[in-house]
């Protein structure tokens, strides 16, 4: 389902008219039209204004807002307003507020003040969503429904009695019998054997480490519980307004929610992204998250929130220097976004986000921020033809949330220093630097379309997932500490790499984590050395396995570090530089090879060149065509100013 009512690339931001006197609204919509805004997100935190008393709705002010938007050509991403309950609901039903792991019930006064499992909260949220859909389903401004807001940002889990009941029901549905639960959780360890589901509680604060199997299922449950909450509103909206797409804004690579599952439950993937302007490498990490968003449904997505300049929640909130707002926005479009929106439209005068930047800053239309808004709006209009186009990637990075949750379980691992984001970036960053398109994929997806499949880590690996990886027809690279446990977080018979043993042709004799700051030298068979940090392994390869690199020095001296059986490569350590491995497996995968700091992204017939450096750069174009941003023909060598961009419509058959 697409946003057929809004052609081209979307442009706009969160609009909070309830924070301003009504006489300001006319100026808002006039300036939106001047800037080329095509969509505004409305009513995200407006429940207490829309329903000031139980069952008594006040829609008149929102009627006027939506009418004004429509009159000025601005569509509405209309929120169901359920991101924060009103005070009367909390006071009438204090049990809707979440309880932390120490048993403390949190107080009203922020946002996301709800227990995901609360039937009272869910009942009221669904009732409001139904009222909103009934009221505005036919409004000409309505283009998309926005359910909740940034699920799991503040409230990922709740430990109250209602959550405990919900957790037990979830476990009954998953395991059927308490005997199956005991087997999965290995409760014979430390005397945790249950004789009934009613004895099971959430993993609250305990005297020592909590059962890892219980923690893994708790993570699954928390993601599912919030998804149930979202789906309850979604189903109501679909029943009343079946032609209006439904989304909720994701939060990039978020640990708490399984976005593979969540994306299947919504019509359009949307994301909130806030790269740090003070981090010169932040554009690489955010590119990884953008490629995830594109990969979740394998089609264009929407950047629903980003910052025009500074945010308000870091220790130091650096502003975006001139050109960075535009560059970051074009980067999202390059990686598959069909629109760029911001938090927020008009900069707030009060509240926790009053110093968060906005499209229309405190200083109004005489500010640098407003000029940046105008420029970006014009650029996105020029790029309208990019909307809807696809990205073809020949390299896939594989990961799953179950494995991530298991990998980063506290207090039960050989090392707590292995972090999935770091493992992903170790492979993604050099691919990104070469201008190679990358998809992300879950471990059970058909991967036959890719020339190269890289699995940075698959700590939790089932037999079915191993079969999917064995069916890869191209090059396969598997990273360290993979194939260790099954879906219940129990070690596979024979140890790692478990069901990947025959595919990789190695056995892990012993995990060999490195202390903080320590490194291990690695010598590659083709010459040259590298360094491993954080993690190494003592491997036993089969006789037919080629050794591509060995550990040099230390306790692992001479043992295999990187091995290969057929087209499957195993990397048993966290290498500082994976280039020697990539050079071997990439083969004929096309790479643009831009200079350092310049991002090259191909989307359909469009090549995006983005200069993330503060110096001019020269790029030799692999194609010729027309730069849509300047309406000029380009070929040969193109010069990019600092933080500048080119979007080339490629000529000819490529």
């Amino acid at each position: 389902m697409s946003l057929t009512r809004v052609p081209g690339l979307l442009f706009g931001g969160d609009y909070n008219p309830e924070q301003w006197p009504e006489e300001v609204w006319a100026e808002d919509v006039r300036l939106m039209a001047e800037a080329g805004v095509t969509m505004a997100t409305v009513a995200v935190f407006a429940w207490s204004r829309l329903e000031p008393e139980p069952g008594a709705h006040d829609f008149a002010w929102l009627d006027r807002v939506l009418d004004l938007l429509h009159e000025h050509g601005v569509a509405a991403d209309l929120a169901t307003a359920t991101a924060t309950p009103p005070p009367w609901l909390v006071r009438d039903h204090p049990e809707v507020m979440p309880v932390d792991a120490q048993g403390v019930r949190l107080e009203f006064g922020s946002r996301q003040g709800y227990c995901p499992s609360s039937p009272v909260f869910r009942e009221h949220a669904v009732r409001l969503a139904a009222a909103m859909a009934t009221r505005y389903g036919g409004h000409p401004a309505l283009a998309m429904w926005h359910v909740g807001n940034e699920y799991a940002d503040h409230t990922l889990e709740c430990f109250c009695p209602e959550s405990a009941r919900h957790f037990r029901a979830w476990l009954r549905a998953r395991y059927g019998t308490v005997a199956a639960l005991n087997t999965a959780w290995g409760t014979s360890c430390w005397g945790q054997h249950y004789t009934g589901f009613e004895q099971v509680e959430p993993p609250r604060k305990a005297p020592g480490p909590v059962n890892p199997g219980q923690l893994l299922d708790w993570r699954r449950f928390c993601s599912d519980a919030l998804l149930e909450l979202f789906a309850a509103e979604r189903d109501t909206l679909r029943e009343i307004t079946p032609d209006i797409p439904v989304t909720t804004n994701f939060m990039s690579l978020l640990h708490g929610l399984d976005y593979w599952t969540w994306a299947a439950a919504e019509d359009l993937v949307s994301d909130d992204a806030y790269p740090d302007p003070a981090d010169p490498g932040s554009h690489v990490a955010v590119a990884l998250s953008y490629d995830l968003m594109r990969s979740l449904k394998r089609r264009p997505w929407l950047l629903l929130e980003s910052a025009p300049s500074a945010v308000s929640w870091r220790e130091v909130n650096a502003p975006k220097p001139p050109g960075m707002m535009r560059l970051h926005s074009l980067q999202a479009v390059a990686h598959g976004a069909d629109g760029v929106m911001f938090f927020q439209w008009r900069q707030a005068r009060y509240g926790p986000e009053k110093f968060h930047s906005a499209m229309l800053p405190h200083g109004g239309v005489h500010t640098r921020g407003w000029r940046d808004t105008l420029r970006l709006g014009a650029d996105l209009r020029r790029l309208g033809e990019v909307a809807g186009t696809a990205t073809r990637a020949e390299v896939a990075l594989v990961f799953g949330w179950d494995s991530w949750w298991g990998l980063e379980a506290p207090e039960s691992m050989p090392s707590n220093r292995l972090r999935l984001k770091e493992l992903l970036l170790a492979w993604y960053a050099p691919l990104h630097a070469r201008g190679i398109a990358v998809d992300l994929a879950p471990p059970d997806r058909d991967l036959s379309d890719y020339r190269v499949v890289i699995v940075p880590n698959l700590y939790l690996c089932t037999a079915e997932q191993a079969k999917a990886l064995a069916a890869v027809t191209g090059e396969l690279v598997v990273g360290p500490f993979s194939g260790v446990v099954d879906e219940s977080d129990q070690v596979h018979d024979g140890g790692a790499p478990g069901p990947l043993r025959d595919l990789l042709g190695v056995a892990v004799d012993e995990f060999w984590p490195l202390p903080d700051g320590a490194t291990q030298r690695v010598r590659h068979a083709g010459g040259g050395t590298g360094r491993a940090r954080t993690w190494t392994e003592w491997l036993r390869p089969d006789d037919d396995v080629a050794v591509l690199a060995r550990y040099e020095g230390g306790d692992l001296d001479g043992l295999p570090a990187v091995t290969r059986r057929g087209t499957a490569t195993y990397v048993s350590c966290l290498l500082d530089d994976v280039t020697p491995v990539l050079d071997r497996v990439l083969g004929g995968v096309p790479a643009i090879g831009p200079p350092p700091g310049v991002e090259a992204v191909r989307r359909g017939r469009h090549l995006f060149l983005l200069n993330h450096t503060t110096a001019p750069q020269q790029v030799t174009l692999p194609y010729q065509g027309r730069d849509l941003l300047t309406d000029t023909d380009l070929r040969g060598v193109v010069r990019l100013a600092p933080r500048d961009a080119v979007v080339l419509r490629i000529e000819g058959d490529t």
Side-chain angles (χ1 to χ4, degrees):
M1 188 177 296
S2 62
L3 290 168
T4 55
R5 298 188 182 191
V6 188
L9 295 174
L10 295 171
F11 178 51
D14 276 42
Y15 181 39
N16 302 299
E18 65 272 24
Q19 296 181 11
W20 300 91
E22 190 162 346
E23 54 266 24
V24 176
W25 300 355
E27 180 186 30
D28 281 328
V29 293
R30 178 182 63 80
L31 291 175
M32 287 182 190
E34 180 181 337
V37 167
T38 59
M39 177 175 281
T41 299
V42 185
V44 174
F45 299 109
W47 190 344
S48 60
R49 291 289 303 273
L50 293 169
E51 191 178 8
E53 297 178 8
H57 296 115
D58 177 10
F59 290 126
W61 67 273
L62 187 54
D63 293 346
R64 296 193 294 275
V65 168
L66 294 180
D67 290 346
L68 274 171
L69 291 173
H70 178 63
E71 289 168 12
H72 288 77
V74 180
D77 165 35
L78 184 56
T80 55
T82 54
T84 296
W88 58 260
L89 179 55
V90 174
R91 296 306 174 222
D92 290 350
H93 299 278
E95 71 275 13
V96 304
M97 291 297 290
V99 173
D100 68 16
Q102 285 74 37
V104 176
R105 189 174 296 278
L106 305 184
E107 181 50 89
F108 181 82
S110 184
R111 61 181 186 176
Q112 286 191 0
Y114 54 77
C115 162
S117 300
S118 168
V120 174
F121 179 80
R122 188 171 301 187
E123 176 188 350
H124 282 82
V126 168
R127 186 179 301 144
L128 179 60
M132 294 283 282
T134 301
R135 181 81 174 193
Y136 298 113
H139 197 286
L142 178 63
M144 181 169 71
W145 286 114
H146 178 112
V147 177
N149 186 72
E150 295 184 335
Y151 282 100
D153 181 18
H154 300 295
T155 300
L156 167 62
E157 56 192 358
C158 175
F159 296 84
C160 74
E162 190 59 55
S163 294
R165 283 190 288 271
H166 194 188
F167 184 40
R168 288 191 285 269
W170 184 93
L171 292 171
R172 285 191 186 95
R174 182 174 178 86
Y175 294 109
T177 67
V178 73
L181 171 71
N182 281 316
T183 299
W185 284 8
T187 55
S188 58
C189 179
W190 284 12
Q192 296 176 6
H193 185 81
Y194 296 101
T195 57
F197 280 106
E198 70 279 358
Q199 297 169 355
V200 180
E201 292 288 337
R204 300 187 182 95
K205 183 68 175 176
V210 175
N211 185 322
Q214 181 184 13
L215 286 176
L216 178 58
D217 272 344
W218 178 250
R219 292 272 65 84
R220 290 168 171 150
F221 162 74
C222 289
S223 180
D224 286 353
L226 279 167
L227 183 55
E228 283 183 26
L229 184 60
F230 163 81
E233 292 190 48
R234 177 209 61 195
D235 292 347
T236 298
L237 296 171
R238 284 179 174 173
E239 180 179 353
I240 300 171
T241 59
D243 297 327
I244 304 298
V246 181
T247 192
T248 187
N249 44 339
F250 290 167
M251 298 183 67
S252 299
L253 263 169
L254 182 71
H255 178 262
L257 301 182
D258 180 352
Y259 282 159
W260 297 121
T261 304
W262 274 70
E266 60 179 2
D267 300 313
L268 173 75
V269 169
S270 59
D271 187 39
D272 295 356
Y274 292 95
D276 188 352
D279 178 2
S282 64
H283 66 283
V284 180
V286 81
L288 171 63
S289 69
Y290 290 164
D291 284 343
L292 170 63
M293 295 302 128
R294 189 193 69 244
S295 303
L296 286 171
K297 293 180 84 71
R298 302 196 201 182
R299 59 176 185 252
W301 56 283
L302 174 61
L303 181 58
L304 200 55
E305 279 189 31
S306 54
S309 189
V311 299
S312 59
W313 39 264
R314 293 189 175 102
E315 289 295 321
V316 176
N317 295 303
K320 291 185 176 180
M324 188 175 282
M325 171 196 181
R326 174 179 183 258
L327 191 67
H328 282 182
S329 300
L330 295 178
Q331 182 188 25
V333 176
H335 286 270
D338 267 2
V340 176
M341 300 179 67
F342 295 91
F343 184 85
Q344 49 195 326
W345 161 252
R346 181 184 284 270
Q347 195 167 15
R349 293 181 57 211
Y350 49 78
E353 294 175 313
K354 60 181 175 294
F355 295 120
H356 194 294
S357 58
M359 301 170 73
L360 181 61
H362 287 144
V365 298
H366 303 293
T367 59
R368 175 181 72 91
W370 177 246
R371 292 193 296 273
D372 287 348
T373 296
L374 294 176
R375 184 186 186 191
L376 180 59
D379 281 339
L380 293 178
R381 286 194 297 275
R382 296 184 185 102
L383 301 181
E385 67 184 61
V386 176
T389 60
T391 298
R392 171 159 174 75
E394 298 190 71
V395 177
L397 282 182
V398 173
F399 83 101
W401 260 269
D402 274 5
S403 186
W404 188 1
W405 292 330
L407 174 69
E408 298 189 11
E411 300 181 303
S412 64
M413 308 299 282
S415 171
N416 288 325
R417 296 294 186 261
L418 277 180
R419 291 290 181 263
L420 183 76
K421 288 184 181 180
E422 182 180 7
L423 293 163
L424 287 171
L425 279 168
W427 294 96
Y428 182 83
L431 294 166
H432 175 272
R434 298 181 189 209
I436 294 176
V438 177
D439 283 347
L440 284 88
D444 53 357
R445 178 177 287 176
D446 179 1
L447 301 165
S448 58
D449 288 343
Y450 299 100
R451 292 196 193 185
V452 180
V453 174
I454 300 173
V455 188
N457 170 266
L458 198 60
Y459 165 75
L460 187 157
C461 181
T462 66
E464 292 75 18
Q465 291 167 349
K467 288 179 183 177
L469 295 180
V472 169
T473 56
E475 294 282 348
L476 174 68
V477 179
V478 178
F481 204 42
S482 292
V484 180
V485 299
D486 63 12
E487 63 272 18
S488 297
D489 201 24
Q490 297 191 14
V491 175
H492 287 292
D493 289 342
L500 300 173
R501 171 74 175 80
D502 292 340
L503 176 63
L504 300 176
V506 298
V508 179
D509 192 290
E510 198 167 6
F511 303 126
W512 215 273
L514 299 176
D516 290 347
T519 61
Q520 167 68 56
R521 191 163 59 251
V522 174
R523 181 166 294 278
H524 297 279
T529 60
R531 289 277 177 181
R533 55 191 164 79
T534 307
W535 188 268
T536 57
E537 294 172 354
W538 186 305
L539 293 186
R540 289 185 285 109
D542 291 348
D543 292 340
D544 65 340
V545 169
V547 177
L548 304 183
R550 294 184 183 274
Y551 295 115
E552 188 172 77
D555 296 318
L556 301 183
D557 184 48
L559 292 176
V562 181
T563 62
R564 182 176 177 85
R565 167 178 270 179
T567 56
T569 299
Y570 183 61
V571 182
S572 68
C573 52
L574 182 55
L575 288 170
D576 276 343
D577 182 8
V578 299
T579 298
V581 179
L582 289 177
D583 287 343
R584 182 180 292 271
V585 302
L586 286 175
V589 175
I592 297 171
V598 175
E599 185 175 11
V601 186
R602 176 81 183 268
R603 179 179 177 184
R605 297 190 61 83
H606 301 91
L607 174 65
F608 288 72
L609 297 173
L610 309 166
N611 181 9
H612 293 281
T613 76
T614 56
Q617 299 289 340
Q618 290 192 146
V619 181
T620 300
L621 293 177
Y623 316 106
Q624 64 184 37
R626 182 175 271 312
D627 177 18
L628 300 181
L629 296 174
T630 60
D631 198 27
T632 57
D633 290 329
L634 297 176
R635 67 186 65 201
V637 176
V638 62
R639 180 181 173 87
L640 286 170
R643 300 196 184 99
D644 199 6
V646 162
V647 181
L648 192 74
R649 183 204 294 130
I650 301 167
E651 294 179 357
D653 183 8
T654 61

